[in-house]
Amino acid sequence: MAVPRTIGCTIFLVAIFCLHKKGYGESEKRVLEEVMDTKQSVIHGRHKRAVTIQSTTAQNFPVDFDAVVKVQIPVSSAPFNISEIVRDALKNLSFTFNQSLIVTSLNLTTECYPNTTGELQCQCERQFSWPCSKCQVYDACSNNASQPCECSDALPYDGQFCEPYTNAGACLASTTATPPSSTKTEAPPSSTTTAAPPSTPLASTTIAEPPSSTTTGAAAPPSTALSSTTTVNLSFTMDLPFSDSYNNGNSSQWTDISSAIQTQCRNHISNLINATLTGFRRGSTIADYTVNAPSLNITELDAVKTGIFTDLGTKYPIIFDSSANLSFTHQSAFYGQTVNVTCGPLPKSLNFGNNWIAEWSQGNSLISNDSKHSLSTDYGAGTATLTMSNVFTSEDGLYECNFKQATGGPSFRQKSSVAFKVTEVPLVQVSPVQIKVPCDGRKVQLTCSVSSNSQNYLVEFTGLTNPDVKINYEYTNTDCTSKTFTCQVKDFPQFNNTITLTSFTGSFLCQDSIFGFGQEDDTAAASCPTNQEGIITAICKKAGWQEQLKTCVLKPVTDLLVQSQFLTTITVPTLLSQLSNVSLNYTKEVVGSPTTISAVVQILSNVANALLSLSIPITKSLMEDVLITSGILTTAKDSWKTLNNGSSSLTNSSISKNESISSKFLQSIEQITRRLTNDSFDISTDYIIFNKTTFKDNFNAEFNSSVDVAISEATGENKSLTIITFSLMDSVLPARNELNLDSAVINGKVVLIQSSANVSNISLTFVVTNDSLKNPECVFWNFNLSRGLGGWDNTGCKLVNNNQTVTCNCNHLTSFSILMSPFSIEDPVLDYITYIGVSISMASLIICLIIEAVIWRKIKLNHTSYLRHVSIVNIAVSLLIADIWFIIGAAISAAKEENKAACSTATFFIHYFYLALFFWMLASALLLLYRTVSVFDGGLSKTSMLVIGFSLGYGAPLIIVVVTIAAAAPRQAYIQGAKICWLNWNESKALLAFVIPALTIVVINLIILLVVLYKMLRRRAVGGASHALERHITVVLARTLAVLTPFFGITWGLGIGTMIHPHNRGLLIAFALFNSLQGFFILVFGTLLDHKVQSELVIKSQTSSRRTKSTSAGALSSSGLGAFWNWRRARDGYSVSSGATNASNSYSNS
């Protein structure tokens, strides 16, 4: 239970002053006015000894007096170690008033702090205590009965603070503890305590306040009376709802309880004057009564208590409060420890038998068996045990156990008198962590420090240094052996860290002050910045030490991350409050560390899962904590870039490398929002606006002046609507769409909408943030896109209006925004060129293969011609199959249902056959180079060249494709997505397995082309060239370029331009045009312009004409087509003669 913010801790300071000269009265007044200038302080003056002042004339003797300073500090602003801060401040604090006044000492005497019920618990400093009478009245906490009263469950109403032992004195031991009442009871405001100064015996008449239910302090022996005439106010509790009717003197409750009190007091108190029931009050139902007698002792009061319990227990559910405290294995524990709390033993006189159950509570919250708490009972011993595992600050506070009978009736209760405290684990940091040191007597500076927000610790290098907060130790590496140094916390050796120094000989490549020395590929480790847990590793390269991994996470966040793995109904509110406080107090450190952001996101995810599994509702205050934390995270633009690029790693977390942290962040907020209570409320933070309301039939409102939401079709009654508007979520979520492309920009606020109604039509109007962007797209965040990484999806959403604002209509609810881009993603021109070009290309390739089949028997007679046509056929086959799979892949991408397996298959074949196309182009170029350089016959045989050609054309692509899919497929990063069947780029860079070989072949072919052209020109220039010959060389060169260009993939060089300028429309159109028509280029320049192919086609045409007798050779020669072929024959230098029964060819190679 949270302590109310109006409650504060109170500290009493006593300053002892000595006045040596005149002006006693004036000086004392000045002290009381000036010793502390604060409205939260109350100052009382008290003379240390009685002095009669006749006038303000000079005094010749010193006068001592005390100034009591009461400091009240709000809990919300008080650090954990407020007491230590005050003590340290008092050590060096001094006051200077005037020469007449000297401060002889300044002491902290009393510290009071609120417990979970909002009341005060007061603790005396060492060598200070209260008189025993105070502890008998106000629930002493001390367990040692022979010591002074040092702890009380309340501050006395007279404001008395703790005094030195010499004044208060020790309490006498008692064989029987003071009987506590069932509930701590404060004296009425009108009650007063009349007492002499501490050194004076008690007055003859005293009115004492009621003792506490958990009193363990000692009292006087049974035979020793507290005073000659004593009135004691007592009380006990009944587990009944309070009713004002109980205070009616004629009620049965008043009659029964008053009778029992009087009867038991008469039976057990000698010389009883009277015993009176004074009334009932709330707190279940508390009965207050007063006992008055000339003398009272502990034995008599204990007997009265037992008698009342026995007398009324059969009729009323009275609570028997144990005088002993709960037993903790660790009254103060460290984060993550396991603590056992034991309750009991149950007094046998209560006759509970084995028919009882144990009920535990922390403050006002019941504890049940869960991931952090385990409850057990031992009926034989009459005890119950609470086991708390992985304790954190959420376990701080007071505990209580109740033994309740299954049949009802009286119960047994035991409490803790001192609040249980959980302390953070000290962070020990060393530098360096793990480095190499040359074996040359070099000196290494070793550093160790410890930090904690709640305690002051010291560290030491084991066996080497004295304890200190920070230690610098210089080590000289003379013995050339590896060393390990352990730095540990003094008195807590389990908290330590080590430094490892590895000696080496020889030269070193890397050197700096952080990672030390290293040879190539050596690794070293360094510590994180102050107050951060983790490690920084680096690897030695030629350029120096390169950071390899950084897992530094803010220490408070690490503690909360561990705590979030063991959440319960009680701990969730505490965790969210602490998380928002850490985010506010360490904003700079949080937003500047990608790994810390990853840890915070994991905490929110753990909270979301716990809310669902434990059915914990989210109230306004809890949601405000979530939004404060989330809003701060959205400001970390640079860190989110790092996270979305996948270059941050977090250890000891459930965030996998294939999981998008930004998507997980949004999903956690959505899941937490689903657990909101039914209340309507608004929350406004610096970066997030939250609105929760209800509506009927329809809804229309504007949020944050940037988003209009309208719902016109919804089903259900009493519909709730939650709208969260994020100002900076565009810095968190990448502009990744279903095609896994991130070229667009989020150009509006991101708004999360949830409703209890079934909404089928919602309209959202966004104010764009950048007017220069075009092509708006209405999208929502789909957590399943990109293999679970998440992305923007337009399914179910459509653009309605784009005029200064963007209006979208969607048929579902989730997180919405708009994507816009500086260029048009969809270009109809590109689409037409691609599909028409591919169709022409495929038709051309089919014609090419038909022609090759017709003339195959003739062209294979010539060695060089045969090999060149083998290359042409395989290039055509590869391109044709690649185009077919391109169409299949486009159909798979356009399908409504995603089919990643089919898309991967299409990508495999497209990749393989496009590579085969390029490698057969390379084979053709190598053949041309070989025939150009090797003019004479001989060399490699036709069979050998075929083996080389097929191995290169199909073997090399197969190796590349198999290696690519083996490397990328296990990581689900082979294809770009089910909506685009092509090699992945963002995650695995698999596209390089096509780009690098293709561009490499283009470069090689260009080099070969230049060499061939040079050889051809040189060879033709040897015999001397006339004007006609020069023209012939130009024609041959043009023909060579026209033939080689499509085969050697020069047009694919345009692909370089599209990679450098992916949004250049001219480059895209040119690239699409040339490459989609490559089949047509192969047909024209590789087949139809080949004179050997032409001549053979002429022969086939003539032979066919004779056989069908549909024409004659003369008619062919006189026709237009015949004239064309004759022109080609004359130009290319070959002649054809034909007879009636046969045809013969003579070739002149040029």
Side-chain angles (χ1 to χ4, degrees):
M1 173 181 175
V3 178
R5 296 188 178 182
T6 56
I7 298 297
C9 51
T10 303
I11 296 176
F12 286 86
L13 307 174
V14 176
I16 303 177
F17 296 86
C18 182
L19 186 64
H20 284 274
K21 296 183 179 181
K22 65 178 181 179
Y24 171 85
E26 181 66 27
S27 296
E28 180 181 11
K29 179 180 179 182
R30 183 178 178 185
V31 168
L32 301 182
E33 291 177 349
E34 297 182 6
V35 67
M36 185 167 289
D37 183 17
T38 172
K39 295 181 179 180
Q40 291 182 322
S41 301
V42 181
I43 305 174
H44 304 283
R46 185 189 65 184
H47 296 292
K48 195 168 184 179
R49 63 172 181 263
V51 177
T52 304
I53 304 297
Q54 301 294 336
S55 67
T56 59
T57 59
Q59 303 294 321
N60 295 322
F61 55 88
V63 179
D64 295 346
F65 67 93
D66 299 341
V68 183
V69 182
K70 178 181 178 182
V71 183
Q72 293 180 330
I73 305 173
V75 168
S76 59
S77 61
F80 290 112
N81 57 339
I82 180 63
S83 300
E84 287 77 4
I85 293 175
V86 173
R87 292 189 189 98
D88 292 341
L90 293 180
K91 293 178 182 177
N92 302 316
L93 189 63
S94 62
F95 292 102
T96 301
F97 297 97
N98 53 46
Q99 295 180 351
S100 303
L101 188 63
I102 297 175
V103 180
T104 58
S105 63
L106 187 62
N107 299 296
L108 173 63
T109 67
T110 314
E111 178 185 2
C112 300
Y113 50 89
N115 54 29
T116 56
T117 62
E119 300 174 354
L120 290 178
Q121 185 176 71
C122 298
Q123 179 75 44
C124 297
E125 290 291 288
R126 292 183 179 180
Q127 304 302 318
F128 289 86
S129 68
W130 275 291
C132 295
S133 59
K134 295 297 181 184
C135 278
Q136 292 166 358
V137 173
Y138 289 105
D139 299 351
C141 306
S142 176
N143 291 321
N144 193 337
S146 63
Q147 297 299 321
C149 176
E150 298 175 341
C151 179
S152 171
D153 271 353
L155 179 66
Y157 271 100
D158 58 3
Q160 183 176 359
F161 52 88
C162 300
E163 298 182 356
Y165 280 171
T166 54
N167 291 350
C171 300
L172 298 177
S174 174
T175 57
T176 307
T178 304
S181 73
S182 57
T183 302
K184 173 172 62 226
T185 306
E186 299 173 346
S190 58
S191 300
T192 59
T193 300
T194 305
S199 59
T200 305
L202 293 174
S204 59
T205 302
T206 303
I207 301 176
E209 289 84 352
S212 164
S213 59
T214 56
T215 300
T216 58
S223 60
T224 303
L226 297 178
S227 67
S228 57
T229 302
T230 303
T231 299
V232 178
N233 296 321
L234 302 172
S235 64
F236 61 87
T237 303
M238 297 181 294
D239 191 12
L240 289 176
F242 175 75
S243 174
D244 290 329
S245 62
Y246 296 164
N247 284 313
N248 187 336
N250 296 323
S251 66
S252 59
Q253 291 82 7
W254 184 282
T255 303
D256 294 340
I257 294 172
S258 177
S259 175
I261 291 172
Q262 294 181 27
T263 299
Q264 297 304 321
C265 288
R266 284 194 301 267
N267 292 341
H268 300 289
I269 298 177
S270 58
N271 301 319
L272 176 68
I273 298 177
N274 59 56
T276 306
L277 173 63
T278 57
F280 298 95
R281 54 189 171 90
R282 299 180 184 276
S284 291
T285 299
I286 301 175
D288 295 321
Y289 62 100
T290 301
V291 178
N292 190 5
S295 62
L296 290 171
N297 59 53
I298 303 303
T299 304
E300 293 175 338
L301 294 177
D302 188 43
V304 169
K305 172 187 172 182
T306 304
I308 293 175
F309 182 85
T310 304
D311 191 357
L312 296 176
T314 57
K315 190 172 183 180
Y316 296 98
I318 295 183
I319 300 174
F320 184 94
D321 282 295
S322 174
S323 58
N325 298 323
L326 293 174
S327 175
F328 288 77
T329 53
H330 304 283
Q331 190 63 53
S332 180
F334 287 104
Y335 286 176
Q337 281 189 313
T338 297
V339 177
N340 292 326
V341 188
T342 303
C343 180
L346 183 66
K348 294 183 179 180
S349 60
L350 299 183
N351 298 319
F352 275 29
N354 294 335
N355 193 21
W356 54 271
I357 58 173
E359 187 179 87
W360 291 86
S361 60
Q362 175 191 2
N364 293 331
S365 301
L366 289 177
I367 299 175
S368 57
N369 274 305
D370 53 37
S371 60
K372 297 196 66 172
H373 303 98
S374 176
L375 309 180
S376 62
T377 55
D378 185 345
Y379 292 107
T383 60
T385 302
L386 166 65
T387 301
M388 298 185 291
S389 59
N390 297 293
V391 295
F392 283 90
T393 53
S394 54
E395 276 69 57
D396 286 354
L398 296 171
Y399 285 78
E400 177 181 302
C401 83
N402 283 272
F403 291 174
K404 295 186 176 182
Q405 300 181 81
T407 58
S411 60
F412 170 84
R413 181 167 64 183
Q414 193 171 28
K415 300 179 180 179
S416 60
S417 60
V418 179
F420 174 67
K421 179 74 173 178
V422 183
T423 306
E424 66 173 328
V425 174
L427 175 61
V428 180
Q429 293 184 292
V430 296
S431 179
V433 176
Q434 181 180 349
I435 63 171
K436 281 189 172 183
V437 182
C439 185
D440 57 3
R442 198 176 299 265
K443 294 182 178 180
V444 183
Q445 191 74 21
L446 309 181
T447 303
C448 179
S449 61
V450 61
S451 60
S452 173
N453 292 326
S454 59
Q455 299 292 330
N456 294 324
Y457 295 102
L458 301 177
V459 289
E460 58 186 354
F461 279 114
T462 307
L464 296 176
T465 62
N466 295 323
D468 204 342
V469 176
K470 183 176 182 179
I471 299 175
N472 294 313
Y473 177 73
E474 189 174 74
Y475 169 73
T476 303
N477 187 25
T478 57
D479 55 1
C480 296
T481 59
S482 299
K483 294 284 186 180
T484 298
F485 301 87
T486 300
C487 181
Q488 64 185 28
V489 179
K490 185 179 181 296
D491 299 329
F492 301 98
Q494 69 271 30
F495 305 124
N496 58 69
N497 208 337
T498 59
I499 297 175
T500 301
L501 304 181
T502 303
S503 298
F504 75 97
T505 58
S507 61
F508 52 84
L509 180 63
C510 303
Q511 177 187 2
D512 68 15
S513 58
I514 299 176
F515 298 104
F517 304 85
Q519 298 167 318
E520 189 168 5
D521 293 331
D522 282 345
T523 58
S527 61
C528 295
T530 303
N531 203 29
Q532 294 188 24
E533 280 191 291
I535 197 170
I536 305 173
T537 61
I539 186 169
C540 179
K541 294 295 183 182
K542 292 182 179 179
W545 287 109
Q546 297 179 6
E547 189 173 295
Q548 196 174 30
L549 181 67
K550 186 175 183 180
T551 62
C552 301
V553 180
L554 194 66
K555 175 65 163 55
V557 174
T558 302
D559 294 335
L560 294 176
L561 176 60
V562 177
Q563 183 180 359
S564 69
Q565 299 172 10
F566 308 96
L567 291 174
T568 65
T569 304
I570 298 175
T571 59
V572 165
T574 305
L575 177 82
L576 291 176
S577 176
Q578 291 176 339
L579 183 60
S580 64
N581 288 334
V582 169
S583 300
L584 288 170
N585 296 333
Y586 298 94
T587 299
K588 183 178 179 180
E589 292 84 349
V590 170
V591 300
S593 170
T595 46
T596 298
I597 291 177
S598 299
V600 174
V601 170
Q602 185 60 45
I603 292 172
L604 292 175
S605 178
N606 292 342
V607 169
N609 294 333
L611 296 178
L612 179 62
S613 60
L614 301 177
S615 299
I616 302 174
I618 289 292
T619 61
K620 179 180 179 180
S621 61
L622 297 183
M623 194 65 203
E624 185 173 3
D625 288 330
V626 172
L627 296 180
I628 290 173
T629 300
S630 302
I632 291 174
L633 293 189
T634 61
T635 64
K637 185 175 183 179
D638 293 337
S639 293
W640 282 112
K641 283 184 179 179
T642 302
L643 290 170
N644 289 328
N645 290 334
S647 57
S648 177
S649 176
L650 177 65
T651 58
N652 298 325
S653 121
S654 61
I655 298 179
S656 67
K657 293 182 179 180
N658 295 328
E659 191 171 23
S660 170
I661 298 175
S662 56
S663 185
K664 189 167 193 171
F665 174 47
L666 179 62
Q667 189 172 40
S668 299
I669 298 176
E670 287 196 10
Q671 291 174 345
I672 291 173
T673 306
R674 293 191 185 101
R675 296 299 308 165
L676 286 168
T677 59
N678 294 328
D679 304 328
S680 295
F681 53 87
D682 297 335
I683 301 173
S684 179
T685 68
D686 292 338
Y687 309 104
I688 301 176
I689 304 298
F690 174 95
N691 306 93
K692 187 174 187 298
T693 185
T694 58
F695 72 101
K696 292 183 179 180
D697 299 330
N698 54 69
F699 177 85
N700 196 333
E702 177 183 306
F703 298 93
N704 200 26
S705 301
S706 57
V707 181
D708 288 343
V709 178
I711 299 177
S712 58
E713 297 179 12
T715 60
E717 297 274 337
N718 300 322
K719 312 169 197 67
S720 65
L721 181 66
T722 302
I723 299 176
I724 304 178
T725 307
F726 300 91
S727 297
L728 300 175
M729 188 60 81
D730 58 316
S731 300
V732 177
L733 299 172
R736 181 172 54 230
N737 58 17
E738 61 181 346
L739 299 180
N740 207 20
L741 302 175
D742 54 6
S743 55
V745 177
I746 301 174
N747 201 27
K749 302 296 184 184
V750 176
V751 56
L752 188 160
I753 304 177
Q754 292 181 353
S755 177
S756 60
N758 183 16
V759 176
S760 59
N761 186 1
I762 181 171
S763 176
L764 302 104
T765 301
F766 296 92
V767 175
V768 299
T769 56
N770 187 347
D771 295 336
S772 65
L773 300 179
K774 306 298 180 183
N775 307 308
E777 183 181 8
C778 301
V779 291
F780 72 96
W781 187 261
N782 187 339
F783 297 101
N784 297 320
L785 285 185
S786 301
R787 297 176 302 280
L789 292 177
W792 295 104
D793 191 355
N794 60 6
T795 304
C797 294
K798 62 180 180 179
L799 179 67
V800 176
N801 181 40
N802 180 22
N803 184 13
Q804 295 183 340
T805 60
V806 176
T807 302
C808 304
N809 269 359
C810 298
N811 58 15
H812 56 82
L813 298 181
T814 183
S815 298
F816 299 96
S817 191
I818 54 173
L819 293 181
M820 300 180 74
S821 61
F823 58 93
S824 178
I825 298 177
E826 296 182 0
D827 193 332
V829 176
L830 284 175
D831 292 339
Y832 286 129
I833 291 175
T834 299
Y835 288 109
I836 294 175
V838 167
S839 301
I840 296 174
S841 177
M842 293 178 64
S844 300
L845 291 171
I846 293 173
I847 295 173
C848 177
L849 292 175
I850 293 173
I851 292 175
E852 292 291 337
V854 170
I855 66 172
W856 187 255
R857 293 181 59 188
K858 295 297 181 181
I859 56 95
K860 73 177 184 178
L861 298 176
N862 182 278
H863 185 68
T864 303
S865 177
Y866 172 74
L867 293 175
R868 193 178 71 83
H869 281 275
V870 168
S871 299
I872 292 175
V873 169
N874 283 281
I875 289 173
V877 170
S878 297
L879 184 57
L880 179 61
I881 298 176
D883 286 342
I884 292 173
W885 277 105
F886 173 82
I887 295 175
I888 295 174
I892 294 173
S893 300
K896 292 183 178 180
E897 296 184 1
E898 295 185 357
N899 191 335
K900 292 184 178 180
C903 194
S904 297
T905 303
T907 301
F908 174 85
F909 285 109
I910 294 172
H911 185 200
Y912 176 72
F913 284 106
Y914 268 126
L915 282 180
L917 164 70
F918 276 97
F919 277 95
W920 274 109
M921 287 180 178
L922 177 61
S924 297
L926 293 175
L927 172 64
L928 179 63
L929 178 64
Y930 176 75
R931 299 308 299 172
T932 302
V933 174
S934 180
V935 179
F936 302 100
D937 291 335
L940 295 174
S941 65
K942 182 168 67 174
T943 303
S944 298
M945 298 189 71
L946 284 175
V947 171
I948 294 174
F950 276 91
S951 299
L952 184 63
Y954 293 117
L958 181 63
I959 294 174
I960 295 174
V961 172
V962 170
V963 171
T964 303
I965 198 169
R971 295 182 292 156
Q972 299 294 315
Y974 177 59
I975 60 175
Q976 292 190 15
K979 290 297 182 181
I980 179 167
C981 298
W982 188 226
L983 297 172
N984 184 280
W985 171 254
N986 290 332
E987 288 82 10
S988 64
K989 301 295 186 291
L991 183 59
L992 292 177
F994 173 75
V995 173
I996 293 177
L999 295 182
T1000 302
I1001 291 174
V1002 167
V1003 173
I1004 293 174
N1005 288 358
L1006 286 173
I1007 296 173
I1008 292 175
L1009 176 61
L1010 293 176
V1011 172
V1012 169
L1013 290 176
Y1014 172 77
K1015 289 289 185 180
M1016 293 176 63
L1017 290 173
R1018 183 180 180 187
R1019 187 173 299 162
R1020 290 180 178 275
V1022 171
S1026 63
H1027 179 71
L1029 183 59
E1030 183 71 23
R1031 183 179 62 181
H1032 181 68
I1033 293 174
T1034 304
V1035 172
V1036 172
L1037 177 60
R1039 184 182 62 187
T1040 304
L1041 285 173
V1043 172
L1044 293 179
T1045 297
F1047 292 103
F1048 298 161
I1050 293 177
T1051 54
W1052 283 87
L1054 291 170
I1056 299 176
T1058 61
M1059 293 180 65
I1060 298 174
H1061 302 287
H1063 311 318
N1064 188 308
R1065 191 168 182 264
L1067 283 176
L1068 291 172
I1069 292 176
F1071 182 68
L1073 178 63
F1074 279 91
N1075 285 280
S1076 63
L1077 296 177
Q1078 191 163 346
F1080 179 74
F1081 293 161
I1082 292 173
L1083 173 64
V1084 174
F1085 297 105
T1087 301
L1088 295 181
L1089 292 183
D1090 187 340
H1091 62 274
K1092 295 181 182 180
V1093 173
Q1094 293 171 2
S1095 63
E1096 188 62 31
L1097 288 176
V1098 169
I1099 294 173
K1100 292 292 183 181
S1101 175
Q1102 291 174 345
T1103 302
S1104 176
S1105 298
R1106 291 191 189 98
R1107 290 175 181 176
T1108 60
K1109 297 181 179 181
S1110 60
T1111 185
S1112 65
L1116 176 63
S1117 299
S1118 62
S1119 67
L1121 182 60
F1124 171 77
W1125 292 122
N1126 290 332
W1127 174 79
R1128 290 293 303 158
R1129 287 198 299 273
R1131 188 179 72 91
D1132 295 330
Y1134 69 86
S1135 61
V1136 180
S1137 62
S1138 57
T1141 59
N1142 57 37
S1144 65
N1145 306 326
S1146 64
Y1147 294 90
S1148 176
N1149 293 326
S1150 56

